[in-house]
Amino acid sequence: MSNIFVYLEIEEGRVAEVSQELLTKGRSLATQLGCRLEAIAAAAATDSVAEQVFPYGVDRLHIFRDDRLSPYTTLPHSSILVELFKQENPQICLMGATIIGRDLGPRVSSALGSGLTADCTSLEIGDHEERKTGKVYKNLLYQIRPAFGGNIVAWIINPDHRPQMATVREGVMKKEILDPYYKGEVVEHQVNDFVKEEDFVVSIIDRHIEQSKVNIKNAPIIVSGGYGVGSKENFDLLYQLADVLGAEVGASRAAVDAGFAEHERQIGQTGVTVRPKLYIACGISGQIQHIAGMQESSLIISINNDPSAPINSIADYVITGEIETVIPKMIKYYRKNTK
Amino acid sequence: MAFNIIVLAKQVPDTRNVGKDAMKADGTVNRAALPAIFNPEDLNALEQALLIKDSYPGTKITLLTMGPGRAAEILREGLFRGADDGVLLTDRAFAGADTLATSYALSMAVRKMGSYDIILSGRQAIDGDTAQVGPQVAEKLGIPQITYAEAIEEVKAGQIRVKRRLEHGVEVVACPLPAVITVNGSAASCRPRNAKLLQKYKHAKTITERQVEHIDYIDIYSSRPYLNLTEWSVADVEADPKQCGLSGSPTKVKKIENVVFQAKESRHLSGSDAEIDELMRELIVNHTIG
Ligand SMILES: Cc1cc2nc3c(=O)[nH]c(=O)nc-3n(C[C@H](O)[C@H](O)[C@H](O)COP(=O)(O)OP(=O)(O)OC[C@H]3O[C@@H](n4cnc5c(N)ncnc54)[C@H](O)[C@@H]3O)c2cc1C
Ligand SMILES: Nc1ncnc2c1ncn2[C@@H]1O[C@H](COP(=O)(O)O)[C@@H](O)[C@H]1O
């Protein structure tokens, strides 16, 4: 039986959020297909990986421990996956649509001659009938993703090649512990059986990673600003509102491009996906690429001076007005009503 | 010292400015309604090549693109900005290629070109946003890759040093040549067209273009060989037709859907003091805030 494999991104021994989210998705697909969920950990520090991932329902964890595997470089990780997949012949392989996943995935898919779909927003199992030949394929992975700048949604399949590979952005899938006591099997591999000396020709000379200070993905309330906010100074109004509400500040791409907000605050198809209980969209028109990243918010308030802004159609409350006057009033009446 | 650089560039529909008429009634994209442009990040890649040429005169930059005949437009665009040569890979058999079949075709063309030191590509093309072709070309050629490059810091014989832009930081890596480098939109933007080069290359054409325009006979094409843009078919690059185009593509599109959002029943407020007061009270009472 060929199984589902999830590639784990590991930074200093910690399994990345996106990988945990993929384990949850992988678990539900494996259950649906009646196969096993397997995970791959290739890093310098792998001691606590098993305890981190088994609760998500991993049946088998492949460990490749070697100091040369962290920080990530393309070639050794690629060799490990290619060789392992030749032995194990998985039916599905999932990885994060992160800088690592988008560097590694194409390399592995090219070596195996298998298809890869980037940035999936949804993964489902289903059948497919080839129109010309009438041949029926059972239980394929539907890899669903926006295409063409987000203007359409494409359903991609790989009928004949394995593994069916897909990458998914952080925040798109929800992570969920299956069972805190779930125990799978650990397989420790000899790294040198998988990598060659030449795989280490790329050397990292310098590396600066900052722990991100903003955590919009998990924020329960988001005050988000668009190009209509008008300036970096006006964004201060959003920070003030966020401050009193205990919220994080998000932004549209147009606001990020204009320099009003940092890139890590960008919400949407090419930013983060969020589902807070309250999303306040200030001066955001609501193009599909933006909506794709926030439409699952429980409650949406739109503040816009254009009553026909597209975002208004998905908002629960539409406030027609200038952000410069509406936001100070929201702060004022929040304070008044909480006294 | 001088380098041989190949820049992979794609002509793409400008998906950033999709108007209403760009979608057909059946929900598919009307490509004809969108202007075709030089993929933005491929221009960043071209600029990195030009910067190397600035420091090492004698460096040769060849643009390589796969696409329909019309894609020769971006080869000229590249020549106007300082590239030395352009190759169009075009054949019916290349049509319908996914990223794997595309990278196979491009890698066969690169092999045909022979010697090269650096292959530059954009990080991703805006029509698909996949970011796969660069790494897949590297794998097919059996050479290393550096993705998400923001600046090439140094090139010397057989070695390159590159600054990469990561999610939460930067990384500087060194790697032996030849290698594939994919360049981010955050890298330096491409210099504009140069008036002299525009004059020099404005008549540069592929053989098909010359035939279509009935200018094949004009003798400038024999007296000025740089005006001949190379055009290669599947056979010219000795590619296996089974690995090209639709038949070489493991991924298939099952269906395409239009994006529709469920419109909600919204409550409309004018922003008056009384209404905002009421709204904030309501949100506090139902525990959305506070
Ligand atoms: C491939 C691709 C990926 C993309 N990914 C993303 C993404 O991840 N995230 C994203 O956000 N975008 C993304 N975009 C861009 C997206 O298409 C839009 O361009 C962008 O979301 C528009 O941002 P905006 O609503 O802030 O700006 P605009 O569309 O310019 O809207 C500004 C709004 O502010 C209102 N306004 C102006 N002044 C005021 C005022 N004083 N008070 C109140 N309202 C005011 C206006 O009425 C208008 O509705 C992507 C595009 C492409 C092609
Ligand atoms: N048809 C093509 N011709 C030349 N280069 C291409 C082609 N398709 C993709 N590329 C290159 O590969 C990069 C990534 O493309 P993609 O994987 O489609 O996002 C692009 O920025 C180009 O540099």
Side-chain angles (χ1 to χ4, degrees):
Chain A
M1 184 69 202
S2 54
N3 296 319
I4 297 181
F5 281 64
V6 173
Y7 170 83
L8 303 174
E9 267 177 49
I10 297 170
E11 178 91 28
E12 288 172 6
R14 297 265 335 135
V15 175
E17 285 272 311
V18 66
S19 307
Q20 299 172 39
E21 293 161 8
L22 287 174
L23 288 174
T24 299
K25 185 69 200 178
R27 180 66 258 170
S28 80
L29 293 174
T31 305
Q32 196 180 348
L33 290 168
C35 70
R36 300 206 290 180
L37 174 65
E38 311 201 17
I40 306 158
T46 54
D47 286 352
S48 71
V49 172
E51 67 196 57
Q52 290 178 63
V53 301
F54 282 141
Y56 291 102
V58 172
D59 298 305
R60 214 158 158 231
L61 171 65
H62 298 266
I63 291 194
F64 297 85
R65 207 218 62 77
D66 192 312
D67 286 343
R68 300 171 299 171
L69 294 175
S70 296
Y72 166 90
T73 53
T74 316
L75 299 175
H77 284 250
S78 166
S79 290
I80 286 173
L81 262 59
V82 170
E83 290 312 311
L84 183 69
F85 289 175
K86 282 183 186 160
Q87 295 170 15
E88 299 282 336
N89 193 26
Q91 58 173 315
I92 291 172
C93 165
L94 306 178
M95 35 181 108
T98 54
I99 287 188
I100 289 179
R102 290 172 120 233
D103 179 84
L104 179 62
R107 185 105 196 172
V108 172
S109 83
S110 174
L112 297 171
S114 63
L116 166 64
T117 306
D119 285 356
C120 295
T121 46
S122 176
L123 297 168
E124 288 171 22
I125 302 294
D127 299 341
H128 175 67
E129 186 182 326
E130 183 80 48
R131 248 180 244 131
K132 263 195 225 127
T133 57
K135 184 170 175 191
V136 176
Y137 294 86
K138 288 273 174 212
N139 290 331
L140 290 182
L141 182 68
Y142 294 162
Q143 301 149 50
I144 305 164
R145 72 173 306 239
F148 230 74
N151 298 288
I152 53 175
V153 174
W155 294 50
I156 314 276
I157 48 170
N158 316 347
D160 297 308
H161 300 266
R162 294 294 174 270
Q164 308 167 81
M165 296 180 65
T167 65
V168 180
R169 278 173 189 276
E170 177 169 343
V172 172
M173 304 292 172
K174 271 190 207 142
K175 70 169 181 178
E176 219 169 285
I177 298 284
L178 178 77
D179 167 3
Y181 304 106
Y182 201 93
K183 279 283 166 298
E185 172 196 354
V186 174
V187 187
E188 305 240 12
H189 293 277
Q190 283 299 324
V191 174
N192 285 330
D193 295 346
F194 289 77
V195 302
K196 306 174 287 290
E197 204 44 52
E198 312 90 84
D199 287 339
F200 297 96
V201 291
V202 178
S203 50
I204 296 176
I205 295 173
D206 200 5
R207 200 160 182 269
H208 290 283
I209 304 294
E210 286 165 17
Q211 276 313 320
S212 156
K213 291 176 292 296
V214 291
N215 184 6
I216 50 174
K217 208 186 85 184
N218 296 315
I221 303 174
I222 296 175
V223 179
S224 194
Y227 191 69
V229 172
S231 66
K232 206 171 158 63
E233 290 66 46
N234 270 358
F235 245 79
D236 277 346
L237 280 175
L238 275 64
Y239 282 99
Q240 289 167 24
L241 177 62
D243 216 33
V244 297
L245 297 180
E248 239 343 321
V249 172
S252 74
R253 180 153 110 182
V256 171
D257 287 349
F260 302 166
E262 304 98 306
H263 180 76
E264 49 189 342
R265 298 190 186 275
Q266 184 178 317
I267 290 167
Q269 188 194 323
T270 45
V272 248
T273 301
V274 296
R275 7 177 122 65
K277 62 177 185 179
L278 175 61
Y279 190 89
I280 308 178
C282 311
I284 294 178
S285 63
Q287 302 305 309
I288 36 192
Q289 294 90 358
H290 187 79
I291 291 187
M294 46 66 73
Q295 58 180 317
E296 288 182 38
S297 307
S298 315
L299 194 78
I300 299 170
I301 299 178
S302 162
I303 308 170
N304 201 304
N305 58 11
D306 173 7
S308 63
I311 192 148
N312 292 352
S313 69
I314 64 155
D316 300 273
Y317 293 90
V318 173
I319 306 176
T320 302
E322 309 284 331
I323 62 128
E324 294 88 336
T325 54
V326 175
I327 294 181
K329 283 185 197 172
M330 290 176 90
I331 297 173
K332 176 173 160 199
Y333 291 107
Y334 174 80
R335 291 214 170 107
K336 179 186 150 223
N337 288 304
T338 42
K339 274 227 185 80
Chain B
M1 202 167 15
F3 299 91
N4 247 325
I5 305 178
I6 299 171
V7 178
L8 305 179
K10 186 179 188 186
Q11 192 183 41
V12 292
D14 193 353
T15 54
R16 297 168 306 175
N17 298 307
V18 176
K20 299 241 161 4
D21 53 342
M23 302 302 289
K24 294 192 215 157
D26 62 358
T28 59
V29 179
N30 180 12
R31 282 184 184 249
L34 296 175
I37 57 166
F38 203 117
N39 181 49
E41 288 182 320
D42 302 357
L43 281 173
N44 297 104
L46 175 59
E47 179 60 23
Q48 292 301 316
L50 292 168
L51 289 170
I52 296 174
K53 189 174 156 183
D54 291 343
S55 330
Y56 298 101
T59 288
K60 185 179 176 211
I61 303 173
T62 307
L63 285 167
L64 170 60
T65 190
M66 181 179 97
R70 179 185 178 188
E73 288 166 6
I74 67 164
L75 298 180
R76 276 186 291 277
E77 187 62 49
L79 293 170
F80 299 158
R81 296 177 192 238
D84 300 279
D85 200 358
V87 176
L88 171 67
L89 200 53
T90 192
D91 196 312
R92 270 178 195 285
F94 288 132
D98 71 0
T99 63
L100 206 61
T102 301
S103 53
Y104 169 71
L106 293 173
S107 70
M108 292 309 284
V110 168
R111 283 180 200 276
K112 167 105 183 172
M113 289 178 192
S115 74
Y116 57 89
D117 301 294
I118 305 167
I119 299 178
L120 287 160
S121 84
R123 174 184 59 122
Q124 64 186 35
I126 58 169
D127 55 347
D129 287 333
T130 69
Q132 291 172 7
V133 169
Q136 289 176 333
V137 167
E139 193 283 330
K140 297 253 173 296
L141 296 169
I143 59 177
Q145 71 197 44
I146 299 174
T147 51
Y148 293 86
E150 190 164 76
I152 294 178
E153 294 193 332
E154 187 186 59
V155 206
K156 51 186 189 197
Q159 183 87 15
I160 193 164
R161 195 175 74 222
V162 176
K163 181 167 101 190
R164 305 178 69 212
R165 170 68 45 194
L166 308 180
E167 279 111 347
H168 300 297
V170 291
E171 193 175 78
V172 178
V173 300
C175 149
L177 293 175
V180 170
I181 318 289
T182 80
V183 181
N184 244 7
S186 59
S189 12
C190 193
R191 61 197 67 183
R193 296 173 173 187
N194 170 303
K196 269 197 203 135
L197 293 173
L198 181 65
Q199 281 310 313
K200 179 175 175 190
Y201 287 112
K202 68 180 176 198
H203 294 299
K205 299 270 149 108
T206 60
I207 178 78
T208 308
E209 284 179 314
R210 279 184 273 143
Q211 284 163 355
V212 170
E213 295 168 32
H214 303 292
I215 50 172
D216 198 20
Y217 57 87
I218 298 180
D219 62 345
I220 54 166
Y221 291 101
S222 46
S223 63
R224 298 185 206 159
Y226 57 82
L227 292 181
N228 295 290
L229 299 176
T230 308
E231 187 176 311
W232 282 339
S233 65
V234 169
D236 290 329
V237 297
E238 293 165 43
D240 168 11
K242 284 199 293 299
Q243 294 187 59
C244 294
L246 205 54
S247 57
S249 300
T251 56
K252 313 277 178 212
V253 177
K254 182 173 167 62
K255 65 171 173 179
I256 297 280
E257 279 177 350
N258 222 338
V259 182
V260 273
F261 292 108
Q262 201 62 46
K264 280 188 192 165
E265 197 72 54
S266 321
R267 270 179 55 192
H268 293 264
L269 314 178
S270 68
S272 69
D273 281 73
E275 278 179 325
I276 303 282
D277 189 0
E278 171 66 27
L279 170 66
M280 297 318 272
R281 202 161 353 159
E282 212 177 292
L283 295 178
I284 293 164
V285 170
N286 68 21
H287 300 291
T288 305
I289 54 177

